[in-house]
Amino acid sequence: ALMPVAAFAASAQNSDTPALQRWHESIAAGYETLATEAAEFQSAARAYCSAPDSDTRAKINQAWLDAFLAWQGVRFVDFGPVEQDNLAWQFQFWPDPKNLIAKKARFLLGSDQAVTPAVIRESGVAVQGFPMAEYLLFDQPFNAGDRALPVEKTCELLGTLAGHIATNSDTLHQQWRAFGPHYLGSDQYREATIRSAMTALEILEERRLALPMGLKGNGKRSVYGADAWRSGTSLNSIRATVAGLQAHFLPGLSLLLKQNDQARLAERIEQQFGEVLENFPELDTPMAPLLTDDARFAALQGFYVDVSQLVTMINDQAAIELGIVRGFNSSDGD
């Protein structure tokens, strides 16, 4: 397992190797960014709770966002080390229809027990990730109450939580690097990588967009169906996911398509990624106002159409050309 990745890859003589190598190295870079930003978030939490003022509060809010968006960039990877110990769920417990995050926060902050790393580890995934930190930093009713930051107990929870995220991020990066020989030497990871992107796109289209837009479920528009609604960054996080897929998944996919005489399809998918991202910066805004204003909702509808076209190109056309059969999606929280 400790054999250097380059030496192991040299022995794998098949047409998928260049794509796998590109995927592995690019995802490793994404995980490294996550580890770096998570460490910055931990540092910002310490600085804020040591000297709380408007400046350190602005810095910790930004540090949370930077780390959260770094996670969005690699969120599509649903296999390998991120499967261990429910790491993906530890980073982001979502969806949360029962508002467990708020309930868990109230319980921990109302307890006389100190919030130690062990308490965080034992309290479940609703406590351990970015959404809990988002609740402490951005939830309006909570921040209007008597337990709002920088109350000592709340700072204790935020600091320990930030440390947990930083530790998990560094662990994930290191484990992904060590996973390289197995990843490059197993045929299954060609399909696993493509499927992970397909699943991420389905979740993005159907749950992160269609559900709050009222195109799924009860047919009513509601920002509470989106992720990261408390911080108003639902659309920004979607952009980060699309950009992450463009950076970490698309190059390898294009290689495989071109090897299968599908250069034109690869080019169309590359163009469609660009069209999806061209909806920003117009959509660099909280989702809630777009859902309540019909005129502004049209921009969101246009974005949804662009995303849907991208999903069709990858999940139907590219998948068929590469022999990937769509199956049951077990990664959407149901």
Side-chain angles (χ1 to χ4, degrees), residues 306-329:
D306 285 341
V307 168
S308 296
Q309 290 174 346
L310 179 62
V311 172
T312 297
M313 287 182 183
I314 293 178
N315 291 24
D316 294 334
Q317 299 173 26
I320 290 173
E321 294 297 337
L322 296 175
I324 307 298
V325 179
R326 297 178 67 177
F328 174 70
N329 171 15

Side-chain angles (χ1 to χ4, degrees), residues 89-289:
W89 282 93
Q90 287 193 52
F91 282 114
Q92 187 172 4
F93 178 73
W94 183 85
D96 181 19
K98 297 181 180 180
N99 202 15
L100 287 177
I101 289 169
K103 294 175 183 176
K104 290 278 190 175
R106 287 195 294 268
F107 175 79
L108 289 174
L109 296 175
S111 170
D112 293 333
Q113 183 181 19
V115 184
T116 63
V119 168
I120 294 292
R121 288 193 301 270
E122 295 165 3
S123 294
V125 293
V127 170
Q128 295 165 342
F130 290 110
M132 175 60 79
E134 180 192 29
Y135 176 81
L136 300 177
L137 290 167
F138 297 101
D139 188 79
Q140 292 184 3
F142 176 77
N143 278 280
D146 57 6
R147 290 177 176 167
L149 291 165
V151 167
E152 182 178 357
K153 186 64 175 287
T154 309
C155 261
E156 182 181 64
L157 172 56
L158 180 64
T160 308
L161 170 60
H164 185 82
I165 293 172
T167 296
N168 278 349
S169 299
D170 184 64
T171 297
L172 181 58
H173 176 228
Q174 299 303 324
Q175 289 182 345
W176 179 261
R177 284 291 188 187
F179 183 62
H182 184 60
Y183 179 82
L184 294 174
S186 302
D187 293 340
Q188 64 177 313
Y189 290 113
R190 170 189 182 271
E191 181 170 336
T193 305
I194 297 171
R195 281 188 176 278
S196 70
M198 291 169 64
T199 298
L201 285 167
E202 288 176 359
I203 292 172
L204 193 157
E205 178 189 24
E206 297 176 6
R207 300 184 71 91
R208 298 172 69 185
L209 274 175
L211 191 61
M213 290 175 67
L215 306 178
K216 297 281 186 180
N218 60 16
K220 296 181 180 179
R221 302 177 195 174
S222 174
V223 73
Y224 301 115
D227 57 352
W229 57 267
R230 288 185 171 96
S231 56
T233 57
S234 300
L235 291 170
N236 200 2
S237 72
I238 289 173
R239 173 172 57 179
T241 295
V242 175
L245 285 164
Q246 183 187 49
H248 305 310
F249 172 70
L250 178 59
L253 177 69
S254 294
L255 278 177
L256 291 177
L257 288 172
K258 291 171 183 177
Q259 289 171 2
N260 282 269
D261 298 322
Q262 293 295 323
R264 177 55 186 151
L265 177 56
E267 181 182 344
R268 288 172 52 222
I269 292 174
E270 291 166 4
Q271 291 174 346
Q272 191 61 30
F273 265 101
E275 290 185 19
V276 170
L277 293 172
E278 281 177 5
N279 286 277
F280 298 92
E282 182 180 0
L283 291 181
D284 190 5
T285 182
M287 186 182 285

